[in-house]
Amino acid sequence: MSSSPTPPGAVAGKPVVVLRPAPQRTDRIFTPGALDLLRDRFTVVDLEGDPSEKALDEILPETFAIIGQPDLPAERLARAPALRALLNVEGNFFPNVDYETCFARGVHVLGCGPAYAQAVAEYALALALDLARGISREDRAFRAGRERYVSDGNADAVLLNGSDIGLIGFGNLGRSLHRLLVPFRPTLRVYDPWLPPGALREFGVLPAGLDETLSRSRFVFVLATVTDESRQLIGERELALLPDGARLILVSRAPVVDYPALLSHVARGRLLAGIDVWPDEPVAADDPVRGLEGLVLSAHRAGGIPQAFLSIGDMVLDDLTLLARGLPPARMQPAARELVGRYRNRPVT
């Protein structure tokens, strides 16, 4: 096979970086300053306007890193002998890459999940405070002329401060949320089967089984990713363990929860819930969930804010700069060889 021509504009000593960020956009994840630095430090081959497989194949033999996650089976990776990094800027590790080949070849596979963690954590806290005090519910009542003054509107109000709180999952989201919850002096129980109890105790939380976490928590944050093991993790049996009046906040992945079972508990007035992710998005216009009291509804808004998106570009630039110097990445999330094949997350549209 003949070698590919030198990329137009390539400079000796500047590694070739392919920019193919779909479904993201370059202007969404890079500030002008960060993009200028990227182009100053690397030979950037911009394929955003030409995402064809042919264009990618032509440049692969020269490529040091790819910003994006195009299909990379083993035979395609074989045509990229200089590849050292794949930087996913969508937020999920999808099964369109031969990860084993990447690991065997020392290709760093990095994800941008940490960029969203703070935004999601703050949003989850906001949902919890809303559910604790009925903020959006009483706002709707006020606008409709049904407001209740002073204690009349607080019959079911509770404090987050000093509460028993359960976290289902303690990855990027759980750790960011933990920092926000500490000032409320809660008793924090964490269920995460991927972490040993000692690792959890180092954060000052109580390791607990799923049943204990649910049955002893007034607030439960569902923060787990989707695997075959976690699909429908919170079903009817688990929901029945929650105390009456408990508040459940779901901001990670919809398949982790049995929605009909959860909505049934909410409809009966036994539980309150704040939901940001849904089994089918967009939610149908006539879905009964829209009129169900006891819910705070959100249209998958927790993480996708401009600050979070722009931090992705900064993370990409920092880690590419380190890799070009022969140093390990420091800001993005490395794909774990033992875990990356387990994820079952869907693309966010």
Side-chain angles (χ1 to χ4, degrees):
M1 182 175 65
S2 62
S3 62
S4 296
T6 302
V11 176
K14 291 175 64 171
V16 173
V17 171
V18 172
L19 181 57
R20 191 184 175 191
Q24 292 284 23
R25 301 191 317 269
T26 298
D27 63 351
R28 173 184 272 180
I29 62 175
F30 284 99
T31 63
L35 192 58
D36 287 344
L37 285 173
L38 183 71
R39 289 172 172 154
D40 180 63
R41 297 172 186 176
F42 300 92
T43 295
V44 176
V45 178
D46 190 347
L47 297 184
E48 184 172 31
D50 181 11
S52 68
E53 303 306 306
K54 180 175 182 292
L56 178 61
D57 285 336
E58 287 178 350
I59 195 60
L60 274 179
E62 320 296 332
T63 299
F64 171 77
I66 299 172
I67 300 172
Q69 188 162 319
D71 293 340
L72 290 174
E75 58 271 19
R76 190 174 234 176
L77 286 167
R79 299 199 295 273
L83 187 67
R84 292 296 173 267
L86 175 64
L87 300 97
N88 180 309
V89 292
E90 191 272 352
N92 295 289
F93 293 118
F94 295 126
N96 66 330
V97 170
D98 190 314
Y99 293 105
E100 281 302 318
T101 296
C102 289
F103 294 134
R105 286 199 19 210
V107 176
H108 293 271
V109 182
L110 306 173
C112 66
Y116 300 115
Q118 185 65 27
V120 175
E122 291 188 15
Y123 200 84
L125 177 60
L127 289 174
L129 290 169
D130 190 326
L131 292 170
R133 302 301 301 273
I135 297 169
S136 59
R137 178 195 67 196
E138 295 305 312
D139 173 81
R140 292 192 300 273
F142 205 128
R143 294 173 189 277
R146 296 182 283 102
E147 72 270 22
R148 299 176 292 177
Y149 287 87
V150 197
S151 60
D152 288 346
N154 281 328
D156 62 349
V158 297
L159 290 177
L160 194 65
N161 191 69
S163 285
D164 284 282
I165 296 177
L167 306 184
I168 309 299
F170 202 67
N172 293 322
L173 300 185
R175 295 173 198 191
S176 293
L177 179 60
H178 170 248
R179 291 192 292 269
L180 299 180
L181 290 173
V182 167
F184 289 92
R185 302 183 296 108
T187 298
L188 265 171
R189 293 180 178 83
V190 174
Y191 171 71
D192 192 323
W194 289 0
L195 293 173
L200 293 173
R201 291 191 187 100
E202 288 178 353
F203 286 90
V205 301
L206 299 176
L210 180 61
D211 287 6
E212 179 186 354
T213 301
L214 294 172
S215 63
R216 300 189 65 177
S217 297
R218 171 174 277 172
F219 295 86
V220 171
F221 294 86
V222 181
L223 311 168
T225 191
V226 182
T227 66
D228 291 338
E229 294 79 14
S230 68
R231 194 179 300 274
Q232 301 281 293
L233 178 69
I234 310 298
E236 172 58 39
R237 187 193 76 84
E238 291 74 24
L239 291 165
L241 295 173
L242 288 165
D244 289 349
R247 277 77 166 161
L248 186 141
I249 299 95
L250 175 56
V251 290
S252 58
R253 301 296 173 183
V256 176
V257 172
D258 180 336
Y259 273 70
L262 173 59
L263 297 177
S264 174
H265 281 265
V266 172
R268 300 198 307 269
R270 205 183 78 76
L271 301 177
L272 301 174
I275 302 176
D276 184 55
V277 290
W278 304 90
D280 296 299
E281 296 179 1
V283 175
D286 60 350
D287 194 310
V289 73
R290 296 179 182 273
L292 188 59
E293 284 296 328
L295 285 180
V296 178
L297 309 173
S298 177
H300 210 138
R301 300 180 55 241
I305 67 173
Q307 283 174 276
F309 287 134
L310 290 175
S311 70
I312 295 173
D314 292 340
M315 294 165 64
V316 166
L317 177 63
D318 286 345
D319 278 352
L320 279 177
T321 301
L322 289 170
L323 289 166
R325 293 171 53 200
L327 297 171
R331 297 199 61 194
M332 298 185 77
Q333 177 181 354
R337 189 170 197 159
E338 297 80 4
L339 300 179
V340 70
R342 299 189 182 190
Y343 298 131
R344 298 293 183 268
N345 297 325
R346 298 184 303 178
V348 177
T349 56

